[in-house]
Amino acid sequence: MSEKNQEPQQQLNIELGEKEAEGIYSNLAIISHSPAEFVIDFTRVMPGVPKAKVLSRIIMTPQHAKLLLNAMMENISKYEQQFGEIKLNQGPSMFPGMPMNPKVN
């Protein structure tokens, strides 16, 4: 393909505010979907505490959810190449007494 046929790439400037730069720790994501969107609720579960509050909710189109999945898989692969395989716990729940399918209110 000649340079004449290529579209110039646009640069996207992303602003990261102070509050957002601090981040929010989450150790549980609850994912649901409809035909039009995926909803990801991020929460933090503490051992022995039967209740957790949603800290952040992200809503995206199915196409963007799949792009996120692909980006996560690519980044996990790069992480594991650099730091080694990420091991997953084999138990029924990371938090004893916590149900596998938490009730969302």
Side-chain angles (χ1 to χ4, degrees):
M1 183 185 283
S2 71
E3 284 186 34
K4 225 191 304 188
N5 294 340
Q6 292 180 352
E7 291 184 30
Q9 283 203 320
Q10 294 182 342
Q11 191 171 24
L12 178 64
N13 292 321
I14 298 175
E15 184 177 325
L16 181 62
E18 249 184 83
K19 182 180 177 196
E20 292 78 15
E22 290 179 23
I24 297 172
Y25 178 76
S26 171
N27 58 7
L28 177 66
I30 300 165
I31 303 170
S32 56
H33 64 275
S34 72
E37 61 201 13
F38 274 74
V39 178
I40 309 170
D41 289 327
F42 292 94
T43 186
R44 180 172 43 241
V45 178
M46 301 304 287
V49 179
K51 190 173 183 178
K53 182 178 176 183
V54 172
L55 303 171
S56 183
R57 171 174 276 187
I58 304 297
I59 303 168
M60 59 181 61
T61 65
Q63 293 81 6
H64 284 115
K66 192 164 188 176
L67 288 169
L68 175 63
L69 171 65
N70 290 340
M72 289 296 298
M73 288 177 14
E74 181 181 329
N75 278 272
I76 288 171
S77 176
K78 288 178 183 178
Y79 175 95
E80 289 183 329
Q81 287 174 9
Q82 185 174 356
F83 301 108
E85 181 184 356
I86 300 169
K87 305 274 191 234
L88 298 178
N89 292 347
Q90 296 299 322
S93 174
M94 290 179 63
F95 301 101
M98 184 72 195
M100 286 299 292
N101 297 312
K103 180 181 172 187
V104 180
N105 292 328

